[in-house]
C-alpha cells in the first residue's frame, strides 16, 4: 500500500503535469486551430525538424525534403537533425492512423497529424515541468519547487515555445535535459535499471536534438565528483546494470546511424556540419555575451526578467559551493558563451533568447531556492514577491500577444519596447 507522503507527491506531480499540458494544448489550439492543415507546413525551423517523418513514412524520399538548403553541387540538405522527429514519432503514427481511419489526406500534414503533434508537444512540456519540479524539490523542498515549476512555465519564454512554436526543438530539449539530469541523480543514489536506461536514451537524444546540449553530459560527472562515492561510485552504479546500459546505448545509436547515413548519402561524409554548408559559423573573435543577455533584440534577461535574480542567486550559490549550483552555472555559462559567438547570436526570430529554454529544468533549482528564501521571510516580502511574480506573468503574456518577428532586427529599438511594456502594464 502506498504511503500517504508518496501519494501526496504523486498527486502533486500529476496535477502539475495536467495543468501545464492542458494549458499548452489549449493555447496551441487557440493559436493554430484556425488553420490546422497549415500548422505543420509553415516553412521555417519547425518544418525542418518535422519533415523527417513525412519523408520517411509517406514520401520515402530524402533527396529533397520540404525545408532544405541547396548546396553548390545542386543537392538539397536538411539543416536540422532528426532528434525532434524521434520524439514526435509516436504522435505522428497516431495521427497517421486517424488520418487513414477518418478519410483525411494521408500526407503527413492534414488535421489529424497536426492535432496529435500538438498533443505531443503539450505532453513534453508537461513532463518537462514535472521533471523541473522533481529536480528543484530534491534541493529546495516541495512547495518552493512547485512554485518554481509554475512560474517557470508562466513567466518565461518556455510557454511561448510550448504554445506558439511547439515544433521548435526547445520544448523537447527542455524535457530531455530534465529527464537526463534527474535520472543521473537517481543513479548516484544507487543502481537503478530504469534510470540507467532513461539516462542513456535521453542523453543521446538531447545531443541529437541540439548539439550544444553535449555540455549537459558533464552534469552527472560534476555531481559525482563532489559526492561521497565519487566518480567510481557513479561508474559502479552504472556497471551494476551493464546489460541495460549496453542495450540502451545500442538503441540510442540507431537514430545516429540513420542520421549519418543521410549525411553520407547527401554529402559523401557521414559527419557533416550542416550549417557550414550554408555559410553559417561561429565567430569566437567577435563574441557578444552582453548582447545575448541585455540586447533589445531578444536579450534573454530583457524579455525574461524573472531570470535576473535567479542568475544572481545561482552565481552566489556557485561561489559558496551550494548543491548543484556549480554544474548548473557551468552548463548555462557554456551555452551563453557559445551563442554569443554564433554569427546570428540573436537566433533569428526569437521571443527572448530561445537558446536558454533548453536548460530551464536545471534553472528551476535556483528559482526554487529563491522562493524558499522568500517563504522563510516576513509576510511583507512574500506579498511583494507575489505582486512581482504576477506582474512578470502579465508582462510575459502581454509580450507574447504583441510579439512580431521585426523585434529581432535592427529596426527594433528600446523606445518601441518601452511603448509595448507601458501598454501592457497600464492596459
Amino acid at each position: 500500500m502506498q504511503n500517504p507522503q508518496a501519494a501526496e507527491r504523486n498527486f502533486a506531480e500529476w496535477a502539475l503535469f495536467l495543468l501545464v499540458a492542458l494549458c499548452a494544448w489549449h493555447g496551441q489550439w487557440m493559436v493554430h486551430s484556425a488553420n490546422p492543415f497549415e500548422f505543420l507546413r509553415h516553412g521555417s525551423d519547425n518544418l525542418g525538424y518535422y519533415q523527417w517523418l513525412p519523408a520517411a513514412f509517406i514520401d520515402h524520399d530524402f533527396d529533397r525534403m520540404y525545408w532544405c538548403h541547396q548546396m553548390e553541387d545542386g543537392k538539397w540538405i536538411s539543416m536540422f537533425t532528426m532528434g525532434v522527429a524521434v520524439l514526435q514519432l509516436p504522435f505522428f503514427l497516431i495521427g497517421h492512423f486517424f488520418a487513414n481511419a477518418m478519410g483525411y489526406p494521408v500526407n503527413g500534414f492534414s488535421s489529424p497529424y497536426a492535432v496529435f503533434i500538438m498533443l505531443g508537444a503539450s505532453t513534453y512540456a508537461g513532463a518537462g515541468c514535472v521533471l523541473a519540479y522533481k529536480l528543484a524539490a530534491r534541493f529546495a523542498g516541495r512547495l518552493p519547487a512547485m512554485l518554481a515549476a509554475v512560474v517557470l512555465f508562466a513567466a518565461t519564454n518556455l510557454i511561448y515555445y510550448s504554445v506558439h512554436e511547439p515544433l521548435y526543438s526547445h520544448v523537447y530539449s527542455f524535457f530531455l535535459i530534465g529527464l537526463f539530469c534527474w535520472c543521473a541523480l537517481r543513479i548516484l543514489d544507487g543502481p537503478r535499471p530504469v534510470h540507467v536506461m532513461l539516462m542513456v536514451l535521453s542523453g543521446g537524444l538531447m545531443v541529437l536534438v541540439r548539439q550544444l546540449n553535449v555540455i549537459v553530459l558533464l552534469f552527472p560527472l560534476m555531481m559525482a565528483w563532489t559526492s561521497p562515492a565519487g566518480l567510481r561510485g557513479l561508474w559502479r552504479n552504472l556497471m551494476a546494470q551493464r546489460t541495460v546500459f549496453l542495450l540502451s546505448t545500442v538503441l540510442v545509436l540507431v537514430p545516429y546511424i540513420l542520421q549519418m547515413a543521410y549525411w553520407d548519402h547527401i554529402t559523401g561524409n557521414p559527419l557533416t556540419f550542416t550549417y557550414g554548408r550554408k555559410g553559417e559559423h561561429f565567430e569566437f573573435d567577435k563574441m557578444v555575451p552582453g548582447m545575448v543577455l541585455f540586447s533589445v533584440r531578444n536579450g534573454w534577461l530583457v524579455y525574461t526578467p524573472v531570470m535576473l535574480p535567479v542568475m544572481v542567486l545561482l552565481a552566489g550559490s556557485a561561489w559558496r559551493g551550494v548543491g548543484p549550483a556549480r554544474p548548473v552555472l557551468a552548463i548555462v555559462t557554456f551555452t551563453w558563451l557559445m551563442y554569443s559567438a554564433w554569427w546570428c547570436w540573436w537566433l533569428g526570430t526569437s521571443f527572448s533568447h530561445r537558446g536558454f529554454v533548453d536548460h530551464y529544468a536545471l534553472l528551476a533549482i535556483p528559482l526554487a531556492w529563491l522562493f524558499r528564501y522568500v517563504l522563510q521571510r516576513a509576510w511583507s516580502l512574500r506579498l511583494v514577491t507575489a505582486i512581482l511574480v504576477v506582474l512578470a506573468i502579465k508582462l510575459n503574456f502581454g509580450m507574447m500577444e504583441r510579439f512580431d518577428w521585426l523585434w529581432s532586427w535592427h529596426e527594433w529599438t528600446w523606445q518601441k519596447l518601452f511603448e509595448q511594456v507601458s501598454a501592457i502594464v497600464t492596459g
Side-chain angles (χ1 to χ4, degrees), residues 41 80 145 157 175 197 232 391:
R41 293 182 184 274
F80 308 94
N157 52 341
F175 162 74
M197 178 186 68
R232 289 184 179 180
L391 288 175

Side-chain angles (χ1 to χ4, degrees), residues 4-66:
Q5 285 188 339
E8 184 180 348
R9 183 171 61 250
N10 290 339
F11 174 80
E13 291 173 4
W14 275 107
L16 176 62
F17 170 78
L18 290 173
L19 173 67
V20 172
L22 290 175
C23 285
W25 165 256
H26 178 66
Q28 289 172 14
W29 194 246
M30 289 180 62
V31 172
H32 303 291
S33 62
N35 255 335
F37 49 88
E38 287 295 329
F39 169 64
L40 298 173
R41 293 182 184 274
H42 179 64
S44 185
D45 292 15
N46 44 19
L47 179 56
Y49 288 113
Y50 174 73
Q51 65 186 347
W52 298 94
L53 296 173
F57 290 92
I58 297 171
D59 303 328
H60 311 295
D61 182 11
F62 296 95
D63 286 336
R64 185 175 178 180
M65 293 186 284
Y66 303 93

Side-chain angles (χ1 to χ4, degrees), residues 338-408:
M338 291 299 290
Y339 280 124
S340 77
W342 188 239
W343 73 276
C344 182
W345 54 264
W346 61 98
L347 297 186
T349 302
S350 170
F351 178 67
S352 188
H353 199 287
R354 55 189 173 88
F356 293 98
V357 174
D358 306 46
H359 302 297
Y360 280 172
L362 288 173
L363 289 173
I365 298 170
L367 181 55
W369 286 339
L370 184 62
F371 281 120
R372 183 178 63 182
Y373 173 84
V374 170
L375 290 171
Q376 293 172 346
R377 295 303 182 270
W379 67 267
S380 55
L381 178 59
R382 282 178 271 172
L383 178 60
V384 170
T385 302
I387 293 171
L388 290 175
V389 167
V390 170
L391 288 175
I393 293 173
K394 179 181 180 180
L395 180 63
N396 193 46
F397 275 69
M399 295 297 281
M400 282 195 300
E401 291 175 3
R402 291 165 170 77
F403 177 67
D404 188 277
W405 67 273
L406 291 173
W407 292 16
S408 301

Side-chain angles (χ1 to χ4, degrees), residues 59-100:
D59 303 328
H60 311 295
D61 182 11
F62 296 95
D63 286 336
R64 185 175 178 180
M65 293 186 284
Y66 303 93
W67 191 252
C68 292
H69 170 70
Q70 188 174 24
M71 299 183 294
E72 293 181 357
D73 61 4
K75 291 185 177 181
W76 295 81
I77 186 170
S78 171
M79 307 298 295
F80 308 94
T81 55
M82 61 180 66
V84 170
V86 172
L87 273 73
Q88 293 172 331
L89 177 58
F91 301 93
F92 171 86
L93 292 177
I94 299 172
H96 191 61
F97 170 80
F98 277 98
N100 272 291

Side-chain angles (χ1 to χ4, degrees), residues 202-360:
S202 59
L205 286 175
M206 74 182 181
V207 177
L208 187 61
V209 166
R210 204 164 183 85
Q211 287 66 62
L212 277 183
N213 290 341
V214 69
I215 186 64
V216 183
L217 295 177
L218 294 178
F219 180 80
L221 301 178
M222 297 177 74
M223 291 300 296
W225 184 268
T226 57
S227 70
L231 292 172
R232 289 184 179 180
L234 173 63
W235 181 250
R236 188 165 52 249
N237 289 344
L238 284 174
M239 288 302 98
Q241 302 294 333
R242 62 172 60 86
T243 302
V244 174
F245 179 80
L246 292 174
L247 288 176
S248 303
T249 301
V250 170
L251 183 59
V252 83
L253 285 176
V254 171
Y256 279 88
I257 293 169
L258 295 174
Q259 185 69 65
M260 289 189 290
Y262 167 78
W263 283 334
D264 186 65
H265 171 68
I266 298 296
T267 70
N269 188 340
L271 295 175
T272 301
F273 178 53
T274 56
Y275 289 97
R277 300 283 172 156
K278 197 178 176 182
E280 300 181 2
H281 54 280
F282 288 98
E283 298 176 335
F284 291 104
D285 59 332
K286 301 178 181 178
M287 296 173 69
V288 287
M291 299 288 278
V292 171
L293 298 183
F294 300 111
S295 172
V296 70
R297 299 170 63 192
N298 303 342
W300 181 41
L301 299 180
V302 173
Y303 293 91
T304 311
V306 71
M307 282 297 170
L308 180 57
V310 171
M311 292 306 298
V312 171
L313 179 58
L314 178 62
S317 300
W319 178 263
R320 298 192 305 273
V322 176
R326 288 174 179 170
V328 173
L329 182 61
I331 289 167
V332 174
T333 300
F334 173 86
T335 303
W336 166 41
L337 294 177
M338 291 299 290
Y339 280 124
S340 77
W342 188 239
W343 73 276
C344 182
W345 54 264
W346 61 98
L347 297 186
T349 302
S350 170
F351 178 67
S352 188
H353 199 287
R354 55 189 173 88
F356 293 98
V357 174
D358 306 46
H359 302 297
Y360 280 172

